[in-house]
DNA sequence: CGTTAAAAGTGAAAAAAATCACAAAAAAGT
DNA sequence: ACTTTTTTGTGATTTTTTTCACTTTTAACG
């Protein structure tokens, strides 16, 4: 399999095409066209074709793309053919919402354990265990985990990040509203809800002021 | 106050500068320079200055920016001088995590009510009440709410979105992993956790394959 | 079959975003 | 007071991303 250098945005778009395609497939579609995919994800058909072109995905002129085949290729590129195991640091409000969320399993993502410093949060009984933070390193190493989610308070985030990295974690999804001091060869994506909300508020206000148009 | 057309990304950067600045201010900084701001948010000093330039923010040559003054201007631009009231649809795992989150208040954002169709979720006692979904429209109208958060299952999201829009909501933060059929003059930002996680996974795998470099 | 029409594929063009690089200002030093 | 040094502010340039527009292929139809 060839690894292709691509921007974060183009990969996000591939994921969106894949998700749209899954829905189309459930609806019985056998063929899909660049324009309906564009529609489904909010882009243009030219961009869909360009994206595919970049990854060497070929369709049939006048015949569009075979849904199964296209989905297969996208899953391949996105690495959806092997299940991914993920751990979470922080079994608080967000952390537990994620732990209990059913949506990841269908995406081939399994949250296998959570870790917390608060002894009151430790719980081995349930479906997904919550262990003491001390055990994170050993767990990650013995289970060869490569992806972690940070759902601890902002003051603790950098420290937890470093523990994760030193344990062998290679990719992190960070919910704490701070910028992690990044390390080469560790991928970090941030989910910053405050920022997104603030952004919505800005544009609502801006539109209102310009609204006279 | 002048409304300036700017890209989503440049506004996101302004928010990040503002957040960094808040921290610097707490640490006692009186002056800040473009390069330390760049550092704090992970950009370049030229970009910081360009962003400020676009919004007519002036510093002092060789003297940097006065922290208080800069913060004031950013808050102004971002509309942080008036508190924003926000409602949530869906009092489930994510919805309640947001309701209970303390971090919004310091950001001038107040979550004032949640709404759910499940009678078991209705609860007026607490700090932030959970009302039946039917009451959303009236609540939004009488309280003149302009911002809503969607935290309902994906199948319900479009319908809830339409209720919000018809009630007068002008901006939406959507946690459901679907694309809302958007309406002109309503701002929609999406928080798609699956997508972000999938993206991390992609790049971890891609780096690994290229890693031999 | 042959013709028509639809859709992919893709260089070229345009637009948008980021970076450069340097003049101008002014704080700090001497 | 004068010089040096630092940092801003911003046109110009470069890079990246998106869109355009046209060629090619082929499914569909008569
Ligand atoms: N709750 C939300 O809706 C929300 C929204 C936006 C951002 N966030 C961010 O997500 C993060 C978590 O928020 P939350 O609301 O779930 O907080 P929370 O307080 O409910 O949970 C945090 C958990 O982390 C644990 N913890 C603290 N230090 C730790 C450490 N060093 N190692 C392991 N665990 C540790 C705590 O014991 C607690 O269980 C915060 O950074 C917050 O800013 C949360
Ligand atoms: N929990 C997570 O960590 C997580 C992660 C990623 C995405 N999401 C997305 O966030 C959304 C909410 O997820 P969740 O885990 O909180 O689900 P949940 O099932 O815990 O909560 C959903 C809530 O919405 C309510 N609801 C259903 N239909 C409604 C309607 N028409 N009007 C008002 N309320 C309605 C339900 O009664 C329930 O209380 C989903 O779209 C999910 O895909 C959640």
């Amino acid at each position: 399999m060839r690894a292709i250098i691509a921007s974060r945005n183009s990969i996000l778009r591939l994921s969106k095409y894949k998700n749209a395609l899954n829905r189309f497939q459930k609806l019985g579609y056998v063929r899909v066209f660049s324009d309906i995919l564009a529609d489904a994800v909010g882009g243009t058909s030219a961009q869909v074709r360009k994206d595919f072109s970049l990854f060497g995905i070929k369709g049939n002129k006048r015949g569009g793309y075979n849904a199964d085949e296209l989905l297969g290729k996208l899953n391949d590129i996105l690495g959806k053919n092997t299940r991914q195991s993920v751990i979470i640091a922080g079994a608080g409000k967000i952390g537990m919402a994620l732990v209990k969320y059913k949506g990841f399993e269908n995406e081939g993502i399994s949250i296998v354990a959570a870790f917390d410093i608060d002894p009151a949060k430790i719980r081995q009984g349930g479906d997904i265990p919550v262990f003491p933070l001390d055990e994170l390193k050993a767990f990650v190493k013995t289970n060869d985990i490569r992806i972690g989610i940070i759902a601890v308070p902002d003051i603790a985030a950098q420290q937890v990040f470093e523990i994760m990295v030193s344990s062998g974690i290679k990719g992190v999804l960070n919910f704490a509203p701070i910028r992690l001091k990044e390390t080469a060869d560790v991928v970090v994506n941030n989910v910053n809800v405050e920022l997104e909300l603030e952004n919505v508020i800005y544009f609502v206000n801006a539109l209102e002021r310009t609204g006279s148009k």
Side-chain angles (χ1 to χ4, degrees), chain A:
Chain A
M1 202 193 300
R2 297 276 301 99
I4 289 158
I5 40 150
S7 72
R8 169 182 149 84
N9 280 333
S10 67
I11 300 300
L12 284 175
R13 284 197 301 272
L14 290 194
S15 284
K16 289 178 188 172
Y17 302 146
K18 179 216 67 186
N19 291 340
L21 212 45
N22 270 318
R23 293 195 299 274
F24 286 137
Q25 207 186 32
K26 273 199 201 92
L27 295 172
Y29 284 51
V30 171
R31 289 170 161 188
V32 295
F33 301 102
S34 58
D35 63 340
I36 66 160
L37 280 172
D39 242 59
V41 308
T44 66
S45 62
Q47 178 135 66
V48 173
R49 296 197 303 275
K50 192 101 242 192
D51 285 338
F52 289 173
S53 164
L54 178 60
F55 286 92
I57 294 177
K58 303 268 171 186
N60 313 295
K61 286 187 172 153
R62 162 101 207 220
Y65 304 85
N66 176 282
D68 291 1
E69 201 181 304
L70 179 54
L71 192 51
K73 283 181 183 160
L74 290 173
N75 281 334
D76 237 44
I77 292 166
L78 295 169
K80 303 301 284 183
N81 297 321
T82 52
R83 178 156 288 270
Q84 277 290 343
S85 296
V86 176
I87 56 135
I88 301 189
K93 294 185 280 293
I94 281 281
M96 289 312 287
L98 294 167
V99 161
K100 291 181 192 146
Y101 183 52
K102 298 283 172 277
F104 294 129
E105 280 297 329
N106 328 333
E107 286 298 331
I109 296 169
S110 300
I111 295 180
V112 293
F115 298 86
D116 206 292
I117 28 156
D118 180 354
K121 299 286 169 68
I122 310 309
R123 189 151 291 136
Q124 251 94 255
D127 213 5
I128 294 167
V130 180
F131 297 115
L133 183 70
D134 306 334
E135 298 177 18
L136 189 150
K137 195 161 197 159
F139 188 95
V140 166
K141 285 197 166 147
T142 56
N143 296 95
D144 193 28
I145 308 289
R146 303 209 324 279
I147 312 288
I149 297 176
I150 293 182
V152 300
D154 50 4
I155 0 100
Q158 180 66 39
Q159 185 204 335
V160 166
F161 176 66
E162 282 160 18
I163 294 171
M164 282 186 174
V165 171
S166 76
S167 308
I169 293 275
K170 293 294 179 205
V172 169
L173 187 63
N174 172 41
F175 282 83
I178 56 141
R179 183 178 142 68
L180 297 172
K181 254 194 76 234
E182 298 183 22
T183 314
D185 88 345
V186 175
V187 178
V188 177
N189 276 12
N190 296 289
V191 174
N192 195 327
V193 180
E194 284 106 317
L195 220 55
E196 292 294 335
L197 198 47
E198 191 163 295
N199 196 249
V200 172
I201 293 170
Y202 171 84
F203 281 105
V204 167
N205 290 338
L207 276 183
E208 208 151 89
R209 278 186 243 121
T210 318
S212 41
K213 216 280 296 306

